[in-house]
Amino acid sequence: MAHKFSFYNTLSRTIEEFIPNEEGKVSMYTCGPTVYHFAHIGNIRTYIMQDALIKALEYCGYDVKRVMNITDVGHLSSDADTGEDKMLAGAKREHKTVMEIADFYTKAFFKDFDAVGNKRPEVIEPATNCIPEFIHMVEVLLEKGYAYVAGGNVYFDTSKLQDYYVFSSAIEKEQLAVGVRDDVEEDTAKKNKTDFVLWFTKSKFEDQALKWDSPWGVGYPGWHIECSCISMKHLGEYIDIHCGGVDNIFPHHTNEIAQSESYLGHRWCKYWFHSNHLNDRAGKMSKSKGAVLTVSVLQEKGYDPLVYRFFCLQSHYRKPLEFSFEVLDNTVTAYNNLVKKVEALIAADEKIKAAADQNKEDIAAVLEVIRNSQDIDENVKKEFEEKFADAISNDLNTSMAVTLLYDILKADTNAATKLAVVDSFDKVLSLDLIGHALADDSADIDPELEAFIKDAIERRAAAKKAKDFTTADAIRDELLAKGVEIKDTREGVKWSLV
Ligand code: AMP
Ligand code: ZN
């Protein structure tokens, strides 16, 4: 039985208990990147929070299958089908072909996507792979009377729907309608302002590089159709969760629902998960605005990509998050302190320490020893794992999950238990603290210090035996002055670096 899981569903505008179509299984779709430029750290925030969602669901006992598209055609600079073709603009900017641009930025995207600890979706499909599927969906929409041909393009007729603005309250609907009415660039072929392009043949871009034959003439697909088709191709007619950033709600996801449900004749996706934006002090981050701050750029500046993940996990996905190097620097300190604590835990458990010394390069081998340690207090571990599952299943409360990480490190239990819990939490957090602790040479305890600690502990034990508590306390203070804290536990004296 999976753990109860709730999160905010944009469709119902409430936090809802998640009930998948098939017990224990989750079909999930994620809108992928438009590969005309680098993905900035804001885009990557969205993918980190989605990764946390997937891993949280898995932690709670669900089996997740996730599909993601790569937008390599059809996305105009305004999401409402106006402006320049983003891919074409990228190709012109860099004097390359559209396919070269797509290839280069897809690779760059996955480099950063992987670096922050994200798991790749089970299926990744570029839009240009699925042209026949798009054409088929457009044909069916025309047959069913939900689409029309005008001025050479095929449009979706939003007036055929009872409720087009599915995500919006009455007030928001009014505001959106005004926004759409005021849209600067008017397409006179549209019957209704909210209608959107399913297939372009009358391209305003004479030099549009990617064109395909279709029943309506040579052309290319509109942006929204790709997500509906790619999702149905791999996940079938019913999906559980669809993810994106808040900017995707309107018009992209609104249009995806319009065309998918008209095509299918039934409800399509039950839960819509939207994460909020990352802003810098100047406002919203944007790919089209000048220099792009990417995870790779952070890396070049010396930041570990997992520190950026840690930064993201400490705030709630539904809140806007402001980025600054000042806060990132504080996150570096916090992350390094966690690594040091984990190192001290490794050093404090004889068997785990021996495994770490033997297998410096082989993290998996050390993790095996941690997981199979006979010293783990299973009750404490279970208690923490339950608290953790409660946090992440409560509208993906990742900051509470991070707090629990600090709690276990402070808890009154042995090193093996702490390490086992840190390892367990990492299934979702993916901060790789144990891996970093093993890899960190600077963290290697100086053998001289280690010998000193051992000696001091022995001297203190002797002093205590002789009831010389003044000397015993002085030895403890001496150790503390060297950054070593000792504790008397049932299993004997334990020490850690502070
Ligand atoms: P794009 O490549 O522009 O289609 O965007 C990829 C993903 O990043 C989409 O899900 C967007 O909703 C999301 N996104 C765009 N801008 C931001 C931002 N500033 N912060 C967080 N996510 C964003
Ligand atoms: Zn999409």
Side-chain angles (χ1 to χ4, degrees):
M1 260 296 271
H3 187 285
K4 186 169 170 271
F5 203 101
S6 302
F7 64 93
Y8 185 86
N9 182 0
T10 317
L11 205 52
S12 62
R13 291 184 285 283
T14 54
I15 293 175
E16 268 186 68
E17 184 179 343
F18 174 62
I19 300 169
N21 288 310
E22 200 182 327
E23 207 188 315
K25 296 226 159 91
V26 183
S27 55
M28 183 187 281
Y29 186 82
T30 302
C31 290
T34 309
V35 284
Y36 71 108
H37 214 320
F38 292 110
H40 54 62
I41 57 170
N43 301 124
I44 296 295
R45 179 196 185 196
T46 290
Y47 296 109
I48 290 172
M49 299 325 284
Q50 291 171 3
D51 187 67
L53 174 69
I54 294 152
K55 290 175 179 168
L57 283 161
E58 287 173 346
Y59 197 88
C60 290
Y62 293 95
D63 183 6
V64 184
K65 179 177 177 188
R66 181 194 191 195
V67 175
M68 181 167 89
N69 65 308
I70 302 287
T71 299
D72 54 359
V73 68
H75 194 174
L76 306 194
S77 62
S78 146
D79 288 355
D81 296 334
T82 57
E84 272 188 303
D85 178 297
K86 290 189 179 191
M87 293 302 298
L88 207 57
K92 274 190 195 152
R93 182 186 66 227
E94 297 181 26
H95 309 291
K96 288 187 183 152
T97 67
V98 168
M99 286 327 274
E100 280 167 350
I101 288 288
D103 186 53
F104 177 81
Y105 287 111
T106 301
K107 287 195 180 111
F109 171 77
F110 281 112
K111 179 175 174 281
D112 289 0
F113 182 97
D114 295 345
V116 294
N118 290 334
K119 180 177 132 180
R120 294 235 187 152
E122 280 65 31
V123 178
I124 298 161
E125 182 101 87
T128 48
N129 267 8
C130 302
I131 303 298
E133 284 91 339
F134 304 162
I135 292 177
H136 172 72
M137 186 176 275
V138 178
E139 280 178 322
V140 173
L141 289 171
L142 278 162
E143 266 163 41
K144 287 190 162 188
Y146 286 106
Y148 59 92
V149 180
N153 292 335
V154 187
Y155 293 90
F156 186 92
D157 186 349
T158 52
S159 70
K160 293 279 152 79
L161 303 179
Q162 279 194 327
D163 187 12
Y164 167 63
Y165 295 112
V166 281
F167 289 112
S168 318
S169 66
I171 297 170
E172 286 164 349
K173 279 177 198 179
E174 191 46 43
Q175 286 165 349
L176 278 170
V178 171
V180 170
R181 267 202 304 276
D182 293 347
D183 203 353
V184 274
E185 202 175 330
E186 203 173 314
D187 180 348
T188 48
K190 283 186 188 180
K191 287 191 197 162
N192 312 287
K193 294 277 183 185
T194 47
D195 292 354
F196 54 93
V197 178
L198 297 167
W199 187 267
F200 289 98
T201 63
K202 276 284 170 297
S203 169
K204 24 181 200 186
F205 315 117
E206 287 310 320
D207 45 356
Q208 174 68 29
L210 297 174
K211 293 182 213 172
W212 294 266
D213 241 344
S214 83
W216 318 285
V218 175
Y220 60 100
W223 173 41
H224 315 293
I225 197 90
E226 66 181 80
C227 291
S228 297
C229 288
I230 293 174
S231 164
M232 280 177 215
K233 179 174 170 186
H234 298 287
L235 297 169
E237 292 192 3
Y238 295 91
I239 60 169
D240 295 307
I241 308 176
H242 194 122
C243 308
V246 283
D247 58 306
N248 289 148
I249 298 173
F250 184 83
H252 184 49
H253 288 166
T254 305
N255 291 349
E256 278 189 39
I257 293 181
Q259 68 205 2
S260 298
E261 298 193 349
S262 303
Y263 169 84
L264 293 168
H266 59 70
R267 277 290 285 276
W268 173 46
C269 176
K270 273 167 112 176
Y271 300 89
W272 291 79
F273 175 90
H274 291 110
S275 44
N276 215 316
H277 278 177
L278 179 84
N279 306 308
D280 54 23
R281 290 208 169 130
K284 193 188 136 190
M285 295 223 166
S286 162
K287 280 191 205 182
S288 44
K289 273 197 252 161
V292 184
L293 183 55
T294 64
V295 169
S296 294
V297 170
L298 289 182
Q299 244 173 322
E300 280 156 27
K301 288 180 189 285
Y303 294 96
D304 188 319
L306 293 184
V307 166
Y308 179 63
R309 183 181 180 96
F310 189 38
F311 166 78
C312 291
L313 292 177
Q314 287 178 76
S315 83
H316 196 256
Y317 76 93
R318 279 199 288 129
K319 292 200 181 115
L321 177 60
E322 190 180 283
F323 176 81
S324 71
F325 279 100
E326 218 176 307
V327 181
L328 195 65
D329 286 336
N330 293 336
T331 313
V332 171
T333 309
Y335 185 86
N336 289 343
N337 283 340
L338 284 172
V339 172
K340 294 267 177 251
K341 289 204 166 96
V342 171
E343 274 167 20
L345 290 175
I346 292 170
D349 184 296
E350 239 172 70
K351 287 187 198 122
I352 298 171
K353 169 92 168 63
D357 288 342
Q358 262 171 35
N359 304 286
K360 272 255 162 252
E361 305 298 313
D362 187 357
I363 295 168
V366 181
L367 289 178
E368 267 310 293
V369 174
I370 292 173
R371 286 169 196 161
N372 295 320
S373 167
Q374 298 298 307
D375 297 326
I376 296 171
D377 183 331
E378 292 296 340
N379 288 334
V380 172
K381 181 167 175 263
K382 206 161 159 235
E383 180 200 326
F384 271 92
E385 287 182 333
E386 270 165 23
K387 280 190 199 162
F388 188 78
D390 287 345
I392 54 179
S393 62
N394 177 14
D395 199 21
L396 198 65
N397 193 341
T398 51
S399 62
M400 175 56 92
V402 169
T403 302
L404 286 165
L405 181 64
Y406 282 100
D407 287 351
I408 182 63
L409 293 173
K410 277 189 296 200
D412 186 14
T413 187
N414 62 29
T417 308
K418 291 184 184 188
L419 287 168
V421 173
V422 169
D423 172 48
S424 170
F425 288 2
D426 214 49
K427 287 182 196 149
V428 178
L429 302 178
S430 298
L431 295 171
D432 191 32
L433 295 172
I434 296 175
H436 275 62
L438 293 171
D440 185 4
D441 287 336
S442 74
D444 269 351
I445 313 270
D446 172 7
E448 243 181 76
L449 176 64
E450 204 171 9
F452 174 79
I453 297 168
K454 249 180 124 186
D455 177 58
I457 290 174
E458 276 167 23
R459 280 191 286 122
R460 181 168 167 267
K464 273 177 116 180
K465 212 170 165 194
K467 301 217 176 322
D468 181 1
F469 296 113
T470 319
T471 306
D473 285 350
I475 294 170
R476 198 189 51 207
D477 293 345
E478 201 182 329
L479 281 167
L480 210 53
K482 288 191 183 291
V484 182
E485 189 179 54
I486 50 171
K487 260 193 186 162
D488 295 305
T489 73
R490 262 173 286 152
E491 293 95 32
V493 181
K494 299 270 170 190
W495 61 269
S496 56
L497 295 179
V498 286

Short mmCIF file of all heavy atoms in Angstrom, two decimals, residues 31-34 36 40 42-43 45-47 50 75 86 223 244-248 276-279 284-287, ligand 1:
data_model
loop_
_atom_site.label_atom_id
_atom_site.label_comp_id
_atom_site.label_asym_id
_atom_site.label_seq_id
_atom_site.Cartn_x
_atom_site.Cartn_y
_atom_site.Cartn_z
N CYS A 31 6.28 19.01 -19.52
CA CYS A 31 6.64 19.84 -20.67
C CYS A 31 8.14 20.06 -20.65
O CYS A 31 8.70 20.56 -19.67
CB CYS A 31 5.94 21.20 -20.59
SG CYS A 31 4.17 21.02 -20.86
N GLY A 32 8.79 19.68 -21.72
CA GLY A 32 10.25 19.78 -21.77
C GLY A 32 10.70 21.16 -22.25
O GLY A 32 9.89 22.06 -22.46
N PRO A 33 12.00 21.31 -22.43
CA PRO A 33 12.55 22.62 -22.79
C PRO A 33 12.37 22.95 -24.27
O PRO A 33 12.25 22.04 -25.10
CB PRO A 33 14.04 22.43 -22.51
CG PRO A 33 14.28 20.98 -22.79
CD PRO A 33 13.04 20.27 -22.34
N THR A 34 12.35 24.23 -24.57
CA THR A 34 12.44 24.68 -25.95
C THR A 34 13.93 24.91 -26.19
O THR A 34 14.55 25.76 -25.54
CB THR A 34 11.64 25.99 -26.16
OG1 THR A 34 10.32 25.76 -25.63
CG2 THR A 34 11.53 26.35 -27.62
N TYR A 36 16.24 26.32 -27.99
CA TYR A 36 16.78 27.37 -28.86
C TYR A 36 17.86 28.16 -28.15
O TYR A 36 18.49 29.05 -28.71
CB TYR A 36 15.67 28.32 -29.33
CG TYR A 36 15.13 29.22 -28.24
CD1 TYR A 36 15.41 30.59 -28.24
CD2 TYR A 36 14.34 28.71 -27.22
CE1 TYR A 36 14.92 31.41 -27.25
CE2 TYR A 36 13.85 29.52 -26.23
CZ TYR A 36 14.15 30.87 -26.24
OH TYR A 36 13.66 31.68 -25.26
N HIS A 40 18.08 28.24 -18.31
CA HIS A 40 18.65 29.00 -17.19
C HIS A 40 18.33 28.28 -15.86
O HIS A 40 17.56 27.31 -15.84
CB HIS A 40 18.18 30.46 -17.20
CG HIS A 40 16.69 30.64 -17.26
ND1 HIS A 40 15.84 30.18 -16.28
CD2 HIS A 40 15.90 31.24 -18.19
CE1 HIS A 40 14.60 30.51 -16.59
NE2 HIS A 40 14.60 31.14 -17.76
N GLY A 42 16.46 29.10 -13.60
CA GLY A 42 15.02 29.11 -13.30
C GLY A 42 14.34 27.89 -13.91
O GLY A 42 13.60 27.17 -13.24
N ASN A 43 14.62 27.64 -15.19
CA ASN A 43 14.07 26.43 -15.84
C ASN A 43 14.47 25.20 -15.02
O ASN A 43 13.65 24.31 -14.77
CB ASN A 43 14.62 26.26 -17.26
CG ASN A 43 14.30 27.43 -18.18
OD1 ASN A 43 15.20 28.03 -18.75
ND2 ASN A 43 13.03 27.77 -18.33
N ARG A 45 15.16 25.01 -11.91
CA ARG A 45 14.38 24.92 -10.65
C ARG A 45 13.12 24.09 -10.89
O ARG A 45 12.78 23.21 -10.09
CB ARG A 45 13.97 26.30 -10.14
CG ARG A 45 13.15 26.18 -8.87
CD ARG A 45 12.37 27.42 -8.45
NE ARG A 45 11.73 27.20 -7.16
CZ ARG A 45 10.76 27.92 -6.65
NH1 ARG A 45 10.30 28.96 -7.30
NH2 ARG A 45 10.22 27.62 -5.48
N THR A 46 12.44 24.39 -12.00
CA THR A 46 11.21 23.66 -12.32
C THR A 46 11.48 22.16 -12.41
O THR A 46 10.73 21.35 -11.87
CB THR A 46 10.61 24.23 -13.63
OG1 THR A 46 10.13 25.54 -13.34
CG2 THR A 46 9.46 23.39 -14.15
N TYR A 47 12.58 21.79 -13.07
CA TYR A 47 12.87 20.36 -13.23
C TYR A 47 13.34 19.72 -11.92
O TYR A 47 13.13 18.52 -11.70
CB TYR A 47 13.85 20.13 -14.39
CG TYR A 47 13.21 20.55 -15.69
CD1 TYR A 47 13.63 21.69 -16.37
CD2 TYR A 47 12.13 19.84 -16.21
CE1 TYR A 47 12.99 22.11 -17.55
CE2 TYR A 47 11.49 20.25 -17.37
CZ TYR A 47 11.92 21.38 -18.04
OH TYR A 47 11.28 21.79 -19.17
N GLN A 50 10.14 19.03 -9.98
CA GLN A 50 9.44 17.87 -10.58
C GLN A 50 10.15 16.58 -10.20
O GLN A 50 9.52 15.56 -9.93
CB GLN A 50 9.39 18.00 -12.10
CG GLN A 50 8.47 19.12 -12.56
CD GLN A 50 8.58 19.39 -14.05
OE1 GLN A 50 9.29 18.70 -14.77
NE2 GLN A 50 7.86 20.40 -14.51
N HIS A 75 7.47 26.67 -31.54
CA HIS A 75 7.21 27.54 -30.40
C HIS A 75 7.57 28.98 -30.77
O HIS A 75 8.74 29.30 -30.96
CB HIS A 75 8.06 27.07 -29.20
CG HIS A 75 7.65 27.66 -27.90
ND1 HIS A 75 8.20 27.28 -26.71
CD2 HIS A 75 6.73 28.60 -27.60
CE1 HIS A 75 7.64 27.97 -25.73
NE2 HIS A 75 6.76 28.79 -26.24
N LYS A 86 11.01 30.62 -32.20
CA LYS A 86 12.18 30.64 -31.31
C LYS A 86 13.36 29.86 -31.88
O LYS A 86 14.51 30.27 -31.74
CB LYS A 86 11.80 30.03 -29.95
CG LYS A 86 10.85 30.91 -29.14
CD LYS A 86 10.68 30.36 -27.74
CE LYS A 86 9.75 31.25 -26.94
NZ LYS A 86 9.71 30.95 -25.52
N TRP A 223 2.60 24.87 -31.36
CA TRP A 223 3.38 24.40 -30.21
C TRP A 223 2.61 23.43 -29.33
O TRP A 223 3.13 22.40 -28.91
CB TRP A 223 3.85 25.61 -29.40
CG TRP A 223 4.52 25.30 -28.11
CD1 TRP A 223 5.42 24.28 -27.88
CD2 TRP A 223 4.37 25.98 -26.87
NE1 TRP A 223 5.84 24.30 -26.56
CE2 TRP A 223 5.21 25.34 -25.92
CE3 TRP A 223 3.63 27.09 -26.45
CZ2 TRP A 223 5.30 25.77 -24.60
CZ3 TRP A 223 3.73 27.52 -25.14
CH2 TRP A 223 4.55 26.85 -24.23
N GLY A 244 4.51 21.39 -15.11
CA GLY A 244 5.10 22.52 -15.82
C GLY A 244 5.33 23.68 -14.87
O GLY A 244 5.03 23.58 -13.68
N GLY A 245 5.87 24.76 -15.40
CA GLY A 245 6.01 25.97 -14.61
C GLY A 245 4.70 26.76 -14.67
O GLY A 245 3.86 26.51 -15.55
N VAL A 246 4.55 27.73 -13.76
CA VAL A 246 3.28 28.48 -13.71
C VAL A 246 2.96 29.21 -15.02
O VAL A 246 1.80 29.41 -15.36
CB VAL A 246 3.22 29.49 -12.54
CG1 VAL A 246 2.96 28.79 -11.22
CG2 VAL A 246 4.49 30.34 -12.48
N ASP A 247 4.00 29.59 -15.76
CA ASP A 247 3.75 30.29 -17.04
C ASP A 247 3.10 29.36 -18.06
O ASP A 247 2.56 29.83 -19.06
CB ASP A 247 5.07 30.84 -17.61
CG ASP A 247 6.09 29.75 -17.84
OD1 ASP A 247 6.39 29.00 -16.89
OD2 ASP A 247 6.59 29.61 -18.98
N ASN A 248 3.17 28.05 -17.82
CA ASN A 248 2.55 27.10 -18.75
C ASN A 248 1.03 27.01 -18.59
O ASN A 248 0.34 26.49 -19.46
CB ASN A 248 3.14 25.69 -18.57
CG ASN A 248 4.57 25.57 -19.07
OD1 ASN A 248 5.35 24.80 -18.52
ND2 ASN A 248 4.93 26.33 -20.08
N ASN A 276 6.43 27.34 -9.15
CA ASN A 276 6.56 28.79 -9.37
C ASN A 276 7.96 29.15 -9.88
O ASN A 276 8.86 28.32 -9.91
CB ASN A 276 6.25 29.53 -8.07
CG ASN A 276 5.56 30.85 -8.35
OD1 ASN A 276 5.97 31.59 -9.25
ND2 ASN A 276 4.52 31.15 -7.62
N HIS A 277 8.11 30.40 -10.23
CA HIS A 277 9.34 30.83 -10.89
C HIS A 277 10.47 31.20 -9.95
O HIS A 277 10.25 31.55 -8.80
CB HIS A 277 9.04 32.04 -11.78
CG HIS A 277 8.47 31.63 -13.11
ND1 HIS A 277 8.06 32.51 -14.05
CD2 HIS A 277 8.25 30.40 -13.63
CE1 HIS A 277 7.61 31.86 -15.10
NE2 HIS A 277 7.70 30.58 -14.87
N LEU A 278 11.65 31.12 -10.53
CA LEU A 278 12.84 31.66 -9.88
C LEU A 278 13.03 33.05 -10.49
O LEU A 278 12.96 33.21 -11.71
CB LEU A 278 14.06 30.80 -10.21
CG LEU A 278 15.36 31.29 -9.60
CD1 LEU A 278 15.47 30.79 -8.16
CD2 LEU A 278 16.56 30.80 -10.39
N ASN A 279 13.23 34.02 -9.61
CA ASN A 279 13.47 35.39 -10.11
C ASN A 279 14.84 35.84 -9.64
O ASN A 279 15.34 35.36 -8.63
CB ASN A 279 12.43 36.34 -9.51
CG ASN A 279 11.02 35.85 -9.78
OD1 ASN A 279 10.66 35.55 -10.91
ND2 ASN A 279 10.24 35.71 -8.73
N LYS A 284 11.87 38.46 -13.35
CA LYS A 284 11.81 37.08 -13.83
C LYS A 284 13.01 36.74 -14.72
O LYS A 284 13.43 37.55 -15.53
CB LYS A 284 10.51 36.92 -14.62
CG LYS A 284 10.14 35.49 -14.91
CD LYS A 284 8.96 35.39 -15.86
CE LYS A 284 9.26 34.33 -16.88
NZ LYS A 284 8.36 34.24 -17.99
N MET A 285 13.53 35.56 -14.56
CA MET A 285 14.63 35.13 -15.44
C MET A 285 14.05 34.79 -16.80
O MET A 285 12.95 34.26 -16.89
CB MET A 285 15.24 33.86 -14.90
CG MET A 285 15.89 34.03 -13.59
SD MET A 285 17.45 33.18 -13.55
CE MET A 285 18.13 33.91 -12.08
N SER A 286 14.79 35.04 -17.83
CA SER A 286 14.26 34.72 -19.14
C SER A 286 15.39 34.31 -20.07
O SER A 286 16.48 34.88 -20.04
CB SER A 286 13.53 35.95 -19.69
OG SER A 286 13.38 35.83 -21.07
N LYS A 287 15.11 33.30 -20.90
CA LYS A 287 16.11 32.83 -21.86
C LYS A 287 16.37 33.87 -22.92
O LYS A 287 17.45 33.95 -23.47
CB LYS A 287 15.60 31.58 -22.58
CG LYS A 287 15.72 30.33 -21.83
CD LYS A 287 15.43 29.18 -22.79
CE LYS A 287 14.95 27.98 -22.04
NZ LYS A 287 14.70 26.84 -22.89
P1 AMP B 1 10.94 26.63 -21.86
O1 AMP B 1 12.21 25.96 -22.27
O2 AMP B 1 10.98 28.09 -21.99
O3 AMP B 1 9.74 26.02 -22.55
O4 AMP B 1 10.78 26.36 -20.30
C1 AMP B 1 11.06 25.14 -19.68
C2 AMP B 1 10.36 25.07 -18.34
O5 AMP B 1 10.85 26.08 -17.45
C3 AMP B 1 8.85 25.31 -18.44
O6 AMP B 1 8.18 24.33 -17.67
C4 AMP B 1 8.65 26.69 -17.87
O7 AMP B 1 7.40 26.79 -17.23
C5 AMP B 1 9.77 26.78 -16.85
N1 AMP B 1 10.22 28.16 -16.57
C6 AMP B 1 10.33 29.20 -17.43
N2 AMP B 1 10.82 30.29 -16.79
C7 AMP B 1 11.04 29.93 -15.51
C8 AMP B 1 11.54 30.60 -14.33
N3 AMP B 1 11.95 31.87 -14.36
N4 AMP B 1 11.61 29.90 -13.18
C9 AMP B 1 11.21 28.61 -13.11
N5 AMP B 1 10.74 27.92 -14.18
C10 AMP B 1 10.65 28.56 -15.36
#
